[in-house]
């Protein structure tokens, strides 16, 4: 059979499948609503799933300002019977993982991060109030102590996430806060980072800003303190205002390309 004939046969089959599902959709949807039960992972103690990932495109900035993705449509449905985009992506684009290798000479690459650390108790440190007053606000040891006074010890393997409210600023100049010389956005103070390293079993930290360090940082002190220890980071995490300060479980869909220093990740919380 010729290539064009094969393409047409595939299109016809897709149309017939769509027609079938269109006819049965109403009945199927009604049955699904009536019989749906939570999957085992949720039934074990979680009632909903919250997306913690920004959708990103050519307008989403990287730390350096330039967009981190470009795409070209290599095939389209009208001409080829299927859609396919070819992407060029900066590893540190959108909601993404920082692997230990990102700030160390020979640390673990993103494909080497132990999978057990990618499912973790989520601890949300809320500094939104002070970040509203000061764009350069940081998570401090006092913030960590206050969280522990309210919620108990930070669990082993935890992901400790900074909620500054910066996620709402995506799409605006305030997200980078660049004043012509330095950027302005919240991050982790290196003393808080050291406290997490020395006094807890946390394995990841996350920020709803462009960096684990606050915007004016010139030395990346938090990156250099945290990542070379074999732990990893998450930047541009989203929707932390929609999850509780404690009790949720975060699932980090890290990429797995060999030798990677990080990469865009689909992250969600089971609440």
């Amino acid at each position: 059979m010729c290539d064009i004939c094969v393409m047409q046969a595939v299109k016809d089959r897709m149309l017939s499948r769509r027609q079938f599902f269109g006819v049965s959709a109403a009945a199927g949807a009604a049955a699904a609503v009536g019989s749906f039960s939570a999957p085992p992972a949720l039934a074990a103690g979680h009632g909903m799933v919250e997306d913690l990932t920004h959708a990103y495109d050519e307008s989403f900035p990287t730390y350096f300002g330039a967009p981190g993705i470009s795409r070209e449509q290599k095939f389209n449905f009208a001409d080829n019977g299927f859609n396919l985009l070819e992407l060029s992506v900066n590893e540190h684009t959108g909601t993404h993982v920082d692997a230990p290798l990102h700030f160390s000479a020979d640390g673990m690459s993103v494909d080497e991060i132990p999978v057990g650390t990618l499912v973790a108790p989520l601890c949300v440190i809320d500094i939104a109030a002070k970040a509203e007053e000061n764009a350069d606000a940081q998570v401090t040891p006092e913030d960590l102590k206050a969280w522990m006074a309210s919620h108990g010890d930070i669990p082993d393997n935890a992901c400790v996430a900074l909620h500054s409210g910066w996620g709402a600023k995506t799409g605006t100049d305030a997200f980078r806060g660049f004043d012509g010389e330095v950027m302005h956005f919240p991050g982790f103070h290196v003393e808080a980072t050291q406290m997490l390293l020395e006094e807890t079993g946390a394995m990841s930290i996350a920020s709803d800003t462009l960096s684990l360090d606050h915007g004016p940082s010139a030395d990346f002190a938090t990156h250099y303190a945290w990542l070379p220890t074999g732990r990893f980071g998450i930047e541009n995490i989203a929707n932390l205002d929609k999850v509780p300060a404690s009790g949720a479980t975060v699932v980090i869909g890290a990429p797995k390309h060999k030798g990677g220093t990080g990469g865009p990740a689909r992250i969600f919380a089971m609440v």
Side-chain angles (χ1 to χ4, degrees):
M1 185 180 287
C2 66
D3 291 345
I4 295 176
C5 296
V6 171
M7 287 278 198
Q8 190 58 49
V10 171
K11 288 184 180 181
D12 291 344
R13 183 172 296 177
M14 292 175 70
L15 289 173
S16 64
R17 285 171 59 83
R18 287 180 179 176
Q19 290 165 354
F20 169 78
F21 286 118
V23 170
S24 60
V33 169
S35 62
F36 176 83
S37 61
L42 296 184
H46 300 91
M48 61 174 286
V49 177
E50 189 64 53
D51 194 356
L52 303 184
T53 314
H54 287 291
Y56 65 96
D57 59 15
E58 292 86 346
S59 67
F60 202 106
T62 61
Y63 178 86
F64 299 103
I69 183 173
S70 62
R71 52 187 168 175
E72 179 183 354
Q73 183 145 15
K74 290 291 188 177
F75 299 91
N76 66 78
F77 191 83
D79 295 331
N80 309 112
F82 63 97
N83 292 305
L84 187 150
L85 299 177
E86 184 173 281
L87 305 179
S88 177
V89 182
N90 179 318
E91 290 178 309
H92 300 272
T93 295
T95 302
H96 67 272
V97 169
D98 279 7
L101 183 59
H102 186 37
F103 270 74
S104 60
D106 57 358
M108 287 187 297
S109 57
V110 70
D111 58 300
E112 296 173 325
I113 295 175
V115 68
T117 64
L118 299 177
V119 179
L122 180 62
C123 305
V124 180
I125 314 298
D126 188 344
I127 65 164
K130 69 177 181 179
E132 188 172 358
E133 299 293 328
N134 176 17
D136 298 333
Q138 298 180 77
V139 171
T140 65
E142 288 69 30
D143 294 315
L144 297 178
K145 292 174 184 176
W147 188 96
M148 289 188 283
S150 296
H151 305 288
D153 291 342
I154 291 173
D156 288 344
N157 196 46
C159 174
V160 179
L162 177 168
H163 168 47
S164 69
W166 238 243
K169 301 179 186 291
T170 55
T172 72
D173 290 340
F175 189 60
R176 292 185 73 236
F178 186 61
D179 65 7
E181 295 183 3
V182 298
M183 292 180 286
H184 298 278
F185 52 74
F188 283 88
H189 194 285
V190 68
E191 291 178 1
T193 307
Q194 291 289 0
M195 180 178 170
L196 289 172
L197 289 170
E198 296 168 6
E199 300 182 24
T200 79
M203 290 302 296
S204 59
I205 56 176
S207 173
D208 60 357
T209 70
L210 281 163
S211 179
L212 302 177
D213 289 275
H214 73 327
S217 173
D219 58 7
F220 297 103
T222 289
H223 279 83
Y224 279 115
W226 186 259
L227 296 179
T229 68
R231 295 163 174 84
F232 66 94
I234 300 166
E235 293 170 338
N236 298 323
I237 197 168
N239 296 325
L240 291 176
D241 58 324
K242 297 180 180 179
V243 296
S246 66
T249 298
V250 66
V251 180
I252 302 155
K256 203 175 178 181
H257 55 293
K258 290 184 178 181
T261 70
R266 187 64 182 267
I267 300 174
F268 57 90
M270 297 188 298
V271 181

